Amino acid sequence: MSDEGYFGQYGGSYIPEILFNSQQQLIESFREAMADECFLQQVKSEMQNYSGRPTPLTYCGNLTQSVGGAQIYLKREDLNHSGAHKMNNVIGQGLLAKRMGKNRVIAETGAGQHGVATALVSARLGLECTIYMGAHDIKRQYPNVFWMKQLGATVVPVTTGSATLKDALDEAIRDWCTNYDNTHYLIGTSCGCEPFPEMVAGFQSVIGEEVKEQSIAQIGRYPDRIYACVGGGSNACGIFLPFVNSGTELVGVEAGGIGDGPGEHAKRFNTEQARFGIAQGYATRFLQDDQGQLQETQSISAGLDYVGVSPILADLEQQGKVRMTSARDTEVVEAFKLLMVNEGIVAALESSHAIAGGIREAASMKATDSIVINVSGRGDKDIFNVAKALNDVAFDDFIEDYLGEAAKS
Ligand SMILES: *Cc1c(COP(=O)(O)O)cnc(C)c1O
């Protein structure tokens, strides 16, 4: 990375001038913190004693047999507190906010997963917490909104634009411009202006560091390939970065959605609809139309539904150090089911993209090869989407009855 936060041509800082000083303060505080043994120990201790790290590397013998090919191992980020890798980043930035003397954090959230993780850690660390969320997303993801509020966070509905994630992001930046004295902007993925991509990827790298040790102990060497789903790119950066130039092939799996047309997927690679652009504070590959307007995205998993991508991954892909592929919604649901019935593991729909990509390729690998697939989160949260995809009529009946009862009381 260059001094200005570039990764090749991607990254940088494109932010309002008023934020310049607080951004500089954040960059310096982050560097100081990462050189401070005491801070690193604090982060490690919270990851162990609050979130449950290290997470296991699980060998999947039944799945391996059913796919027929490479040996399949799963990195179990679903076993983190709150059920996803997001906790790693939120613990790191929450502790950093305290170290900087900030008593308030703000965050943007789409599906609400990052909002809940931020609200949890804010409660634990005694930080005031405000979450910006599109009004449209609030309707679709109310259970997460419920928990954020119960945890003591203020949830601000954003009604501008399409009332979704990118509008929530604009509002969060606006808040930061007004309140930077006491407020840390806790970004949820490895995107945005310097130092966020590097910082989030850094806190997530514990995933890959653990896989290094675990694969030596359990496989006897590093895996031949590692697979991770790619939304903003934080779980992929976390498991990939420690393995760059190690000989292990790194494969990102994007949301193929329902088709290859504009607005039907969330692929920022291997499509002409995505190209270099500058938006939301940084430069990366964005899905955009001929006029440069950001496009709508679609995916069965809310967490992969994003128009931009980590500048770190954009650069690694361009250098040929990460390969990108994608999986369509239907293939993702099949992979979700196959893992569930063979191994008793219910993966998030986001993570099921990585499973789909991994098993598709494992089938043509040798039995002496090994792959690791990152299970970024658990699938309980996806019960509504999965029941819909599987046409589970009994579940529909349950919801109707439940809502009927609620309306009566
Ligand atoms: C948020 C989320 C993702 C996508 O975010 P990345 O920054 O790309 O990792 C993936 N999986 C789960 C379970 C998530 O909650």
Side-chain angles (χ1 to χ4, degrees), residues 91-258:
I91 286 174
Q93 286 196 54
L95 289 170
L96 184 65
K98 285 206 82 125
R99 193 177 192 272
M100 290 190 294
K102 312 259 169 169
N103 60 14
R104 177 173 181 263
V105 296
I106 56 173
E108 84 293 335
T109 194
Q113 298 298 114
H114 175 56
V116 172
T118 304
L120 286 164
V121 165
S122 296
R124 179 160 168 91
L125 299 181
L127 294 161
E128 197 188 317
C129 176
T130 297
I131 305 292
Y132 288 90
M133 190 165 179
H136 186 59
D137 289 337
I138 287 183
K139 277 195 190 150
R140 290 192 293 186
Q141 310 285 346
Y142 198 77
N144 283 334
V145 178
F146 172 82
W147 286 122
M148 285 180 238
K149 288 183 177 168
Q150 297 302 316
L151 283 159
T154 304
V155 181
V156 181
V158 177
T159 52
T160 47
S162 56
T164 58
L165 178 62
K166 55 184 189 309
D167 313 293
L169 216 138
D170 292 340
E171 280 309 308
I173 295 260
R174 213 158 285 155
D175 181 315
W176 200 27
C177 288
T178 318
N179 299 305
Y180 53 82
D181 276 344
N182 72 338
T183 298
H184 173 63
Y185 181 13
L186 208 163
I187 288 186
T189 189
S190 51
C191 291
C193 67
E194 188 194 7
F196 287 105
E198 180 196 359
M199 181 161 73
V200 178
F203 289 131
Q204 292 292 0
S205 291
V206 65
I207 306 172
E209 296 297 347
E210 286 175 9
V211 172
K212 276 190 153 176
E213 277 182 31
Q214 292 168 324
S215 60
I216 294 291
Q218 293 173 237
I219 311 174
R221 59 191 175 84
Y222 290 164
D224 297 279
R225 288 186 198 162
I226 296 179
Y227 293 84
C229 65
V230 183
S234 69
N235 86 90
C237 283
I239 197 165
F240 289 170
L241 290 186
F243 284 94
V244 170
N245 298 328
S246 72
T248 298
E249 190 184 5
L250 307 171
V251 188
V253 187
E254 297 188 278
I258 54 170

Side-chain angles (χ1 to χ4, degrees), residues 83-86 113 188-190 229-236 303-304 348 350-351 376-378 381:
H85 70 292
K86 289 197 166 69
Q113 298 298 114
T189 189
S190 51
C229 65
V230 183
S234 69
N235 86 90
L304 303 187
E350 288 85 356
S351 323
S376 51
R378 65 172 186 236
K381 68 177 177 60

Side-chain angles (χ1 to χ4, degrees), residues 312-323:
I312 300 177
L313 290 179
D315 180 45
L316 287 173
E317 194 266 352
Q318 191 158 320
Q319 291 184 55
K321 293 182 175 178
V322 167
R323 170 163 64 84

Side-chain angles (χ1 to χ4, degrees), residues 59 64-65 68-73 219 221 224 362-371:
Y59 174 62
T64 297
Q65 205 171 18
Q71 307 299 311
I72 302 173
Y73 292 80
I219 311 174
R221 59 191 175 84
D224 297 279
S364 55
M365 293 172 76
K366 298 192 295 281
T368 48
D369 291 339
S370 295
I371 66 168

